[in-house]
Amino acid sequence: LSVCFRTVEPLEYYRRFLKENCRPDGRELGEFRTTTVNIGNIFFSSGSITTADGSALVKLGNTTVICGVKAELAAPAADSANKGYIVPNVELPSLCSERFRSGPPGEEAQAASQFISDVIENSQMIVKEDLCIANGKLAWVLYCDIVCLDYDGNLLDASIFALLAALKNVQLPSVTINEETGLSEVNLKQKTPLVIRKHPVATSFAIFDDTLLIVDPTAEEEDLGTGTVTIVTDEEGRLCSVHKPGGSPLTGAKLQDCITRAITRHKEVKTLIDKVIKS
Amino acid sequence: PAPASPPCPPRTGDTSVLAGLYGPAEAKLSKELPDRAALEVLLRPKVGLPGVLERSREQQLRQTCEAVVLGVLHPRTAVTLVLQVLSDAGSLLSCCLNAACMGLLDAGLPLSALFCGVTCTLDADGSILLDPTTRQEQEARAVLSFAIRSGDRKVLMATTKGSCSVEEMQQCLAAAQRAADTIFQFYRDSLCRRYSKD
């Protein structure tokens, strides 16, 4: 009977749970789903993705996101001769959810790509000057491909987490420029890890009925909700991004509650990443 | 035939955006929603083809408009908002927001509230500057844009660029909410002027 009610009146069904301060899957309003992360060389002897320079797989409940980082060489742009490039790209293939059709990237994928690019820039987690090898001649380009394998809400949190974990896994070979020939020589045996200065962590909320904020929404909760908010914080408690793309209005105080929860979440994620990297 | 609202170009300094609103018109079967109007926002940059940044802005503008437009009064229709950037001298997102709201007003769509866009920057010593120029945006430590709803001054949309502390964000928000009064007064004056001629 409850299955019928859930299909016919999903909003009412949810409201019954929210009144008791919990959700149908048993979580509290401020509770995240089980987060697991596999970085690089955990799966097998050669990483989640064997062809990538760094990779990570993140699961937030059912939402599964994999990130692969490939490093290539390119000439820096004329106006920023000492900067490399970081190119994030989020893909939502039709295999992850029935809501996405195959074909050119839809609005959600493009908006997510833009969001991740902004977070990398705002948080300065990778400083582009660090990616420069020879001023004006050679620099690294990091292609970060984030693919969603199973979409169950909260894409942004999982993507940022996967990106951070994959970048921590990246080992860049040393590159020298031969003075006589002017060509670059890549030494694959000598690798150094990427310099990651900040560790941004995203926390997303869905707004319900203009008043309630629930953390880590599933796909169903996102559809029933009337808005979303994503807060990205770094380890110093600074805000890297407040992303509220329209939706129900919020007061400054409610935003403050979100930020407080985001700061707590940052600590949880940081301990998880450190634990996984050590093992 | 879909009534097109006459384009209105709000200016913020030298930034101007032209908004054209079409609707509520018949929606394509694939796009129509059974219980509400389907809103679509198209943002055209001054030069070049719309890219990922424009799509991201379109999503933000669309969801902001959806929060105020009473779509349930016009089910199975389509409302299209086309924004053309004429010139960009800073504070582009808030100019687009203001253009969108005035377009909605001009078209006579049923709205639950109005909204306005405010951009503010934080520079190195923490001082807040509203409505920055492109130069000020580039030199600032952080640029924050908000869409503020009329009436209760709640936040409909928020985007940040660069990083700032939590207190600074709250201060910027408070400054934006105060500045919203001036913009809503401008809306009132413009509409009075428009309808006093008729």
Side-chain angles (χ1 to χ4, degrees):
Chain A
L1 186 65
S2 67
V3 175
C4 300
F5 187 49
R6 189 174 192 165
T7 326
V8 171
E9 283 284 340
L11 200 53
E12 260 318 304
Y13 179 78
Y14 256 86
R15 283 202 189 109
R16 301 264 169 99
F17 282 90
L18 291 172
K19 244 193 320 209
E20 310 291 328
N21 269 336
C22 70
R23 289 133 100 172
D25 54 4
R27 287 189 287 157
E28 284 179 17
L29 300 188
E31 201 183 320
F32 263 81
R33 288 172 284 184
T34 335
T35 315
T36 52
V37 54
N38 272 316
I39 301 185
N41 302 355
I42 306 281
F43 253 93
F44 212 51
S45 58
S46 36
S48 299
I49 305 175
T50 54
T51 48
D53 294 297
S55 63
L57 176 77
V58 166
K59 279 172 84 84
L60 265 179
N62 284 333
T63 301
T64 311
V65 170
I66 193 162
C67 175
V69 180
K70 276 219 73 99
E72 288 180 19
L73 294 167
D79 53 355
S80 39
N82 61 342
K83 289 188 182 165
Y85 307 88
I86 309 172
V87 184
N89 185 37
V90 175
E91 253 177 64
L92 294 170
S94 38
L95 68 87
C96 69
S97 167
E98 65 271 4
R99 65 182 74 198
F100 303 119
R101 295 218 178 97
S102 55
E107 186 195 73
E108 182 149 5
Q110 294 199 40
S113 301
Q114 183 62 40
F115 173 74
I116 295 192
S117 169
D118 288 341
V119 168
I120 297 175
E121 184 68 41
N122 293 345
S123 63
Q124 292 283 290
M125 65 193 283
I126 300 220
V127 172
K128 291 195 180 140
E129 281 82 351
D130 288 346
L131 294 174
C132 183
I133 303 166
N135 216 330
K137 291 196 210 125
L138 207 61
W140 283 112
V141 186
L142 292 176
Y143 289 107
C144 311
D145 294 309
I146 300 167
V147 183
C148 181
L149 299 172
D150 192 351
Y151 183 86
D152 193 17
N154 207 357
L155 174 72
L156 298 178
D157 286 11
S159 304
I160 297 277
F161 194 176
L163 178 71
L164 179 62
L167 286 171
K168 282 193 97 81
N169 182 231
V170 168
Q171 302 267 2
L172 290 177
S174 65
V175 181
T176 45
I177 299 196
N178 190 323
E179 307 238 329
E180 298 150 358
T181 57
L183 293 169
S184 55
E185 283 161 19
V186 179
N187 188 348
L188 286 168
K189 299 214 179 61
Q190 231 186 356
K191 290 199 176 184
T192 46
L194 203 53
V195 176
I196 302 194
R197 298 188 182 213
K198 296 278 165 69
H199 299 79
V201 169
T203 312
S204 295
F205 303 79
I207 309 171
F208 246 86
D209 281 341
D210 292 355
T211 44
L212 276 173
L213 284 161
I214 55 176
V215 120
D216 190 15
T218 61
E220 197 184 354
E221 288 165 358
E222 276 180 357
D223 290 338
L224 293 172
T226 47
T228 53
V229 186
T230 306
I231 311 273
V232 182
T233 51
D234 66 12
E235 54 264 46
E236 291 161 21
R238 288 179 71 82
L239 288 174
C240 302
S241 179
V242 172
H243 181 78
K244 183 186 186 306
S248 291
L250 284 182
T251 57
K254 277 250 147 59
L255 263 179
Q256 188 58 45
D257 292 339
C258 296
I259 296 172
T260 325
R261 180 70 186 88
I263 294 181
T264 329
R265 172 70 179 164
H266 188 280
K267 297 196 187 84
E268 294 165 23
V269 168
K270 190 89 196 338
T271 21
L272 180 61
I273 278 201
D274 291 339
K275 199 167 63 164
V276 171
I277 288 183
K278 272 202 198 84
S279 64
Chain B
S5 126
C8 34
R11 283 169 183 272
T12 314
D14 291 317
T15 309
S16 63
V17 173
L18 199 68
L21 210 122
Y22 305 86
E26 187 168 344
K28 265 194 256 191
L29 222 69
S30 56
K31 291 208 182 135
E32 74 173 15
L33 296 168
D35 60 340
R36 58 184 64 236
L39 211 71
E40 194 185 355
V41 176
L42 297 163
L43 178 62
R44 298 270 173 264
K46 185 178 170 201
V47 274
L49 288 165
V52 184
L53 178 63
E54 278 73 37
R55 285 297 209 116
S56 165
R57 295 275 177 257
E58 283 171 9
Q59 186 200 49
Q60 290 167 336
L61 286 159
R62 195 193 76 238
Q63 290 182 325
T64 311
C65 293
E66 278 172 356
V68 295
V69 171
L70 294 169
V72 288
L73 292 175
H74 297 282
R76 292 173 40 246
T77 61
V79 174
T80 313
L81 173 65
V82 182
L83 295 162
Q84 172 67 56
V85 178
L86 298 172
S87 63
D88 182 7
S91 304
L92 184 63
L93 183 56
S94 42
C95 195
C96 291
L97 282 163
N98 293 333
C101 189
M102 298 210 78
L104 290 168
L105 273 172
D106 199 38
L109 280 173
L111 304 172
S112 64
L114 301 180
F115 59 87
C116 72
V118 184
T119 308
C120 51
T121 52
L122 275 169
D123 53 12
D125 55 2
S127 50
I128 300 173
L129 182 70
L130 291 175
D131 262 351
T133 59
T134 320
R135 183 83 177 281
Q136 287 162 339
E137 278 181 2
Q138 279 163 353
E139 288 169 2
R141 178 163 44 100
V143 181
L144 296 93
S145 299
F146 299 101
I148 311 282
R149 194 166 83 150
S150 67
D152 50 15
R153 302 284 184 271
K154 281 189 186 172
V155 180
L156 272 176
M157 190 213 78
T159 318
T160 61
K161 199 172 145 174
S163 76
C164 61
S165 74
V166 184
E167 294 78 35
E168 286 168 341
M169 193 225 60
Q170 293 288 3
Q171 281 165 4
C172 285
L173 179 54
Q177 284 168 326
R178 282 192 298 271
D181 293 333
T182 331
I183 305 182
F184 289 128
Q185 188 57 43
F186 169 73
Y187 286 178
R188 240 173 257 129
D189 294 340
S190 316
L191 285 172
C192 280
R193 244 176 307 147
R194 173 160 156 69
Y195 290 108
S196 66
K197 280 187 216 154
D198 293 335

